[in-house]
């Protein structure tokens, strides 16, 4: 009986929290809502499991308490992502991409903006943009950062992999120079292995030459 009732409790708690967050209008706080729902479900399960030796009533009460606590934490994480994403979009150049999928933020800079051909020296323009990102990371310190370099498929694959790694490290160095703790940052080279567009034309290759800064809440 307990097993059949608990999922209903999780759903009820989640829907109640979403409704409470929806006063600002559709999608205004979408990631805050998503965080609340996910947190409610996880908290409810944790609460029920922790009190597994109690009566059915005690386990149900623990599940509801866990849902409420988890929703609060999840909503806070989602709200921070929403705020940070909005601030970055407002401060960065229009050709720097900022996307928020509810779990992390992805800042995308074209390698043509970042580097001269075959170079790992970050351009002055991009250093300004990266300082803005560094300032944001310092304002929201409870996150980890993956800096991932990508290339198109022009040239030797092993050379492209090495270049993408060195370019990711160069971007990471600028972020560290902006005050971000190096312990938060990991530099990763992907070479030509993860294209987001076709490599059969110049436009697609330009999109594939990029560095992604993925910001994930702890």
């Amino acid at each position: 009986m307990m097993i059949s009732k608990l999922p209903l409790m999780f759903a009820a708690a989640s829907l109640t929290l979403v409704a409470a967050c929806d006063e600002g209008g559709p999608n205004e706080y979408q990631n805050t809502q998503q965080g609340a729902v996910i947190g409610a479900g996880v908290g409810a399960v944790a609460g029920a499991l922790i009190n597994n030796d109690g009566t059915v009533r005690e386990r149900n009460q623990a599940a509801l308490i866990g849902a409420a606590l988890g929703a609060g934490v999840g909503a806070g994480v989602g709200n921070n992502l929403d705020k940070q994403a909005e601030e970055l979009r407002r401060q960065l150049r229009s050709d720097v991409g900022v996307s928020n999928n509810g779990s992390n933020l992805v800042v995308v800079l074209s390698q043509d903006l970042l580097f001269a051909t075959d170079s790992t020296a970050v351009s002055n323009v991009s250093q300004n943009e990266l300082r803005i990102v560094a300032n944001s990371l310092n304002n929201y310190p409870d996150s980890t950062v993956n800096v991932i370099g990508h290339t198109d498929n022009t040239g030797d694959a092993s050379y492209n992999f090495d270049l993408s790694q060195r370019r990711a490290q160069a971007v990471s160095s600028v972020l560290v120079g902006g005050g971000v703790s190096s312990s938060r940052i990991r530099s990763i080279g992907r070479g030509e292995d993860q294209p987001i567009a076709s490599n059969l034309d110049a436009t697609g290759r330009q999109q594939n030459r990029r560095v992604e800064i993925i910001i994930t809440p702890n």
Side-chain angles (χ1 to χ4, degrees), residues 1-12:
M1 183 65 68
M2 178 196 69
I3 294 176
S4 64
K5 286 182 177 180
L6 282 177
L8 296 176
M9 291 183 177
F10 304 161

Side-chain angles (χ1 to χ4, degrees), residues 17-218:
L17 288 159
V18 169
C21 291
D22 199 38
E23 296 177 0
N27 296 324
E28 185 175 355
Y29 299 105
Q30 180 177 3
N31 293 302
T32 305
Q33 295 172 20
Q34 290 175 350
V37 171
I38 294 169
V42 173
V45 172
L49 291 176
I50 289 171
N51 204 42
N52 192 45
D53 293 332
T55 65
V56 171
R57 181 178 179 182
E58 289 170 341
R59 287 193 292 269
N60 289 345
Q61 289 176 336
L64 288 173
I65 292 170
L69 293 174
V73 173
V77 170
N79 184 54
N80 280 343
L81 284 176
D82 288 331
K83 288 172 58 179
Q84 188 175 12
E86 179 57 31
E87 290 171 6
L88 285 170
R89 291 190 187 105
R90 188 169 61 248
Q91 296 169 10
L92 292 169
R93 291 165 51 109
S94 60
D95 53 358
V96 177
V98 179
S99 60
N100 180 359
N101 62 21
S103 299
N104 52 48
L105 300 183
V106 182
V107 179
V108 181
L109 296 97
S110 165
Q111 285 196 353
D112 294 347
L113 173 68
L114 284 163
F115 306 103
T117 302
D118 233 17
S119 172
T120 58
V122 179
S123 69
N124 290 333
V125 170
S126 291
Q127 287 191 36
N128 291 334
E129 301 306 297
L130 291 173
R131 278 192 285 269
I132 292 172
V133 176
N135 186 59
S136 176
L137 292 173
N138 291 329
N139 290 336
Y140 296 88
D142 193 20
S143 64
T144 55
V145 184
N146 284 335
V147 179
I148 306 177
H150 301 272
T151 71
D152 61 27
N153 68 347
T154 303
D156 181 72
S158 61
Y159 178 83
N160 288 337
F161 177 83
D162 178 69
L163 180 63
S164 69
Q165 177 70 45
R166 289 186 288 127
R167 285 179 164 176
Q169 290 170 342
V171 169
S172 296
S173 294
V174 177
L175 296 178
V176 172
V180 182
S181 171
S182 60
S183 64
R184 294 174 60 190
I185 301 176
R186 184 171 65 149
S187 303
I188 303 168
R190 297 296 189 203
E192 59 190 58
D193 291 343
Q194 295 182 351
I196 56 174
S198 172
N199 276 310
L200 297 178
D201 57 70
T203 300
R205 289 192 295 272
Q206 183 180 37
Q207 293 179 57
N208 292 332
R209 296 190 298 269
R210 68 198 189 279
V211 171
E212 297 174 339
I213 302 171
I214 301 177
I215 305 165
T216 305
N218 294 332

